Amino acid sequence: MNPNKLALVVMGVSGCGKSSVAQVVVERLGGRLIEGDEFHPQANIAKMRRGEALTDEDRAAWLDRLASELSDCARRGELAVLACSALKRRYRDRLRAAVPALGLVFLDLPERVAYERVALRTGHFMPSSLVAAQFADLEPPVSEGLTLTVDAMLPVADIADLTLRWYCRSGGSIKS
Ligand SMILES: Nc1ncnc2c1ncn2[C@@H]1O[C@H](COP(=O)(O)OP(=O)(O)OP(=O)(O)O)[C@@H](O)[C@H]1O
Ligand SMILES: O=C(O)[C@H](O)[C@@H](O)[C@H](O)[C@H](O)CO
């Protein structure tokens, strides 16, 4: 395993751009894109679709699955870029426990804009009525190591640029 290869989590509330940013980061850095939403148990998806917010209990098995995906990548020496809300400190601690080093990219977005983005998005299970609950649960990653906070109103390409520069400074490496 390459111990200098950090795993990354692109985190924040629904609509902040996690999937969009993580995809561009993987295109530019290489590694494996892990789309957190694909690992939710069906019961969680059904619950969100009904407009009910997930609880700590609902998220526990999901976080275990994501932690296992991260550790599989780390074992293979492969960079993992995970798009995951990771709203609370204890959720991030669960993910951190799975790998030797985990960088957090926190996409910081005002609630009004998150609401608008989710309301405008089509073909997704997440209703805009749940955005307020996302902000109620959000514990921004202050005083946590290896964290980059980015203004999520910037264009996706600019957020990816900032992420790549920070990743290199933090000991990662760009694919050749
Ligand atoms: N930086 C950005 N500027 C403008 N629009 C953006 C930006 N990032 C994402 N969007 C748009 O906002 C919507 C939500 O983006 P995306 O699905 O990437 O967010 P997400 O955080 O992964 O959301 P969720 O957690 O609900 O899946 C999409 O319509 C996307 O095109
Ligand atoms: O922790 C959570 O409440 C969930 O992960 C949500 O964030 C959704 O999965 C996502 O935002 C919708 O795509």
Side-chain angles (χ1 to χ4, degrees):
M1 190 185 87
N2 177 354
N4 292 324
K5 252 186 188 170
L6 300 178
L8 294 176
V9 178
V10 184
M11 59 153 290
V13 296
S14 183
C16 70
K18 301 179 291 290
S19 303
S20 309
V21 169
Q23 191 180 329
V24 176
V25 167
V26 166
E27 282 162 15
R28 296 186 50 190
L29 266 185
R32 173 157 175 251
L33 174 64
I34 305 172
E35 176 51 66
D37 277 347
E38 291 173 9
F39 292 83
H40 272 301
Q42 271 312 311
N44 284 3
I45 303 281
K47 199 170 177 185
M48 289 186 272
R49 217 186 273 285
R50 288 198 301 273
E52 293 172 38
L54 300 183
T55 62
D56 291 347
E57 202 179 18
D58 295 324
R59 292 181 180 123
W62 172 62
L63 289 165
D64 285 345
R65 288 183 186 180
L66 295 176
S68 156
E69 291 296 314
L70 287 178
S71 63
D72 285 351
C73 284
R75 258 196 303 279
R76 292 194 295 267
E78 184 180 27
L79 168 70
V81 181
L82 168 64
C84 167
S85 46
L87 296 175
K88 299 188 185 181
R89 169 82 188 237
R90 77 191 85 144
Y91 304 163
R92 299 187 287 273
D93 287 343
R94 172 71 190 95
L95 299 174
R96 264 191 286 265
V99 283
L102 186 68
L104 303 177
V105 179
F106 170 47
L107 303 183
D108 193 14
L109 192 67
E111 184 167 341
R112 177 186 53 81
V113 183
Y115 180 87
E116 285 167 6
R117 285 189 191 172
V118 174
L120 282 174
R121 188 172 56 176
T122 52
H124 196 284
F125 60 81
M126 190 72 175
S128 54
S129 59
L130 279 182
V131 168
Q134 293 272 294
F135 279 86
D137 276 355
L138 176 65
E139 296 168 5
V142 285
S143 314
E144 290 178 47
L146 288 176
T147 300
L148 174 71
T149 297
V150 190
D151 177 357
M153 305 272 277
L154 291 170
V156 170
D158 292 2
I159 299 173
D161 279 345
L162 290 167
T163 301
L164 262 59
R165 265 184 254 153
W166 171 77
Y167 174 79
C168 291
R169 284 201 308 273
S170 308
S173 56
I174 300 269
K175 75 175 171 185
S176 48

